Amino acid sequence: MTDSTGRKRGRLSRGAAESPPAAQAESAPREAADSIPFGVRLAAGWSWRLLLIGGVLAVVVFLIIQLRLIVIPILVAVLVGALLVPFSGLLQKHRWPKWLAVTTAMLSALIVVGGLLTLGITQIVRGSDELAAQSLVAWDDFREWLLEGPFHITESQLNEWVDQIIQSVQQDSGLLVSGALSLSSTLGHFLAGLLLALFATLFILIDGRGIWNWIVGIFPRRARAAIDGAGNAGWATLQNFVKVQILVATIDAIGIGLGAFFLGVPLAVPIAILVFLGSFIPIVGAVATGALAVFVALVYNGPVIALIMLGIVLLVQQVEGHVLQPLIMGTAVKVHPLGVVVAVATGSLLAGIPGALFAVPVAAVVNVMILSVSSGAWKNDDAPPPQPRSALWRTVPQRPGYKRGE
């Protein structure tokens, strides 16, 4: 018994002797960490978290760019649905059957857009012969001015320039062929995207609430009330954006159309229609429709009226870009005017025309959703969203032991 007691005391004495070095080894990293200033540690903590968030956002942007042929039609369908869902809901409130309300909303949109396109294109086609003849007359006048004007250009020099242009076109015929093939491929993508957008819009009208409830059901139960409240706020903001965009396009069309009418420019009505439709396509739409108005004025009314028409187009576009978009759009979507300008510029830089088109609605929806979550308004209703009862969701497989709403 004495031996065992002695061995225990020996082990305890050895453990006590070894403990100070171990404690010192453990305290060394703590002392090193404590020696770093708090500001540096705080900056390091924010840095790696921001890098992680930036990496996730970069992956999301990369996936969107790779799947742009699918993402863009879906986003277009969401914008169109934001306009048509209230109309369909209004018809259903007046005791219209749901299928009839959805059909009426879809057909109304197709008829309005198709009717405007048909009216504008038809009038342009009817005046195409006269436009071509007048273009030749304008070219002859321009040629005569070059020959007899202050530049003193000779006939041989002018013919030589024309021959060089023709030769360059012939040399670049391969580029023209490849461009035609690229155009056909782009046209096929456009038609496929159009069908996808129509299909998605139809399902948003039929069961948009059920689709949203399914998305909310993916998140944990405690987060569903916040996600649902933020989504409702974002959807209301998106509806305001679509209405204001239509208002801005109407103002553009009226301004340029009235300018062409008072200047006596032919085809004022189709020009106004094309300006209205082109206003929904940022940058390219405004440039193309404005150039068409100036060209028609130049061909029919001469350079002076064309310069005045150009001034009207630039004035309307400046008013839209610096007054209507920042002020009216910023007020409707609850985004500061500077935020609207920065969003459009950033979207154009990242994704070109689609980026400019969806920059403001995406920024507005994200801003409102973040504000909705941070305000805590969703805490007033902790109940999960109602279960989708549409027959469509009976085809969606569920995980074993999973019940929607849990």
Side-chain angles (χ1 to χ4, degrees):
M1 184 171 182
T2 303
D3 295 339
S4 62
T5 304
R7 285 195 296 270
K8 290 181 180 179
R9 290 177 180 176
R11 285 196 297 268
L12 291 175
S13 63
R14 285 195 300 270
E18 293 175 357
S19 59
Q24 293 177 359
E26 292 178 358
S27 63
R30 296 178 183 176
E31 293 178 357
D34 293 338
S35 65
I36 300 175
F38 175 75
V40 176
R41 284 182 287 164
L42 181 63
W46 274 104
S47 298
W48 73 261
R49 288 174 174 85
L50 290 177
L51 287 175
L52 180 61
I53 295 174
V56 172
L57 292 178
V59 172
V60 171
V61 172
F62 175 77
L63 291 177
I64 291 175
I65 293 175
Q66 295 298 317
L67 301 175
R68 60 188 179 276
L69 298 178
I70 299 176
V71 173
I72 292 177
I74 296 298
L75 293 179
V76 171
V78 172
L79 289 177
V80 176
L83 178 64
L84 297 182
V85 166
F87 179 53
S88 175
L90 179 64
L91 295 179
Q92 294 180 44
K93 287 182 180 179
H94 287 77
R95 298 182 179 179
W96 284 46
K98 185 175 181 178
W99 67 269
L100 183 59
V102 171
T103 303
T104 303
M106 285 290 295
L107 291 180
S108 299
L110 294 176
I111 289 173
V112 169
V113 176
L116 290 176
L117 285 175
T118 302
L119 179 61
I121 294 175
T122 300
Q123 293 197 12
I124 291 177
V125 170
R126 288 180 180 177
S128 60
D129 295 337
E130 183 180 358
L131 181 63
Q134 193 66 30
S135 299
L136 294 177
V137 173
W139 165 249
D140 292 337
D141 294 339
F142 180 65
R143 178 188 177 92
E144 183 178 355
W145 179 79
L146 289 176
L147 295 175
E148 300 178 0
F151 296 103
H152 303 290
I153 297 176
T154 62
E155 183 78 21
S156 59
Q157 290 177 338
L158 186 59
N159 293 333
E160 182 179 357
W161 291 342
V162 173
D163 292 339
Q164 289 178 356
I165 294 174
I166 295 175
Q167 290 177 2
S168 62
V169 171
Q170 291 176 351
Q171 292 175 358
D172 296 335
S173 59
L175 296 177
L176 295 177
V177 173
S178 62
L181 295 176
S182 176
L183 179 61
S184 62
S185 177
T186 303
L187 182 60
H189 292 160
F190 173 78
L191 293 178
L194 179 61
L195 292 177
L196 179 59
L198 292 175
F199 186 77
T201 303
L202 180 62
F203 270 91
I204 290 175
L205 289 174
I206 293 174
D207 196 28
R209 189 64 203 181
I211 296 174
W212 173 247
N213 289 341
W214 179 79
I215 295 175
V216 173
I218 297 176
F219 293 88
R221 180 181 178 83
R222 289 183 295 179
R224 291 176 191 173
I227 296 297
D228 187 55
N232 291 331
W235 181 251
T237 300
L238 190 61
Q239 291 177 342
N240 292 334
F241 166 79
V242 175
K243 295 175 183 177
V244 171
Q245 185 63 44
I246 293 177
L247 174 62
V248 171
T250 303
I251 294 175
D252 289 348
I254 292 176
I256 295 178
L258 287 179
F261 175 77
F262 286 118
L263 290 176
V265 178
L267 305 176
V269 173
I271 287 176
I273 293 174
L274 294 180
V275 168
F276 174 79
L277 298 175
S279 297
F280 292 93
I281 305 175
I283 304 174
V284 173
V287 172
T289 54
L292 176 63
V294 174
F295 174 74
V296 173
L298 177 64
V299 169
Y300 280 94
N301 303 91
V304 176
I305 301 298
L307 288 176
I308 298 176
M309 190 71 231
L310 177 61
I312 293 174
V313 170
L314 294 178
L315 176 62
V316 171
Q317 292 180 359
Q318 290 299 314
V319 170
E320 175 195 351
H322 295 87
V323 178
L324 297 180
Q325 288 286 354
L327 297 181
I328 300 179
M329 184 68 71
T331 303
V333 301
K334 300 179 181 179
V335 177
H336 193 275
L338 179 61
V340 175
V341 175
V342 172
V344 173
T346 305
S348 303
L349 181 63
L350 292 178
I353 298 175
L357 174 62
F358 298 111
V360 175
V362 168
V365 170
V366 171
N367 176 61
V368 171
M369 293 179 71
I370 292 176
L371 292 178
S372 175
V373 173
S374 61
S375 66
W378 51 273
K379 295 180 181 179
N380 298 328
D381 186 11
D382 295 332
Q387 303 301 319
R389 298 181 179 179
S390 172
L392 171 67
W393 297 105
R394 298 174 185 173
T395 62
V396 178
Q398 299 182 1
R399 298 194 302 269
Y402 172 79
K403 295 181 180 179
R404 199 180 309 279
E406 292 186 354

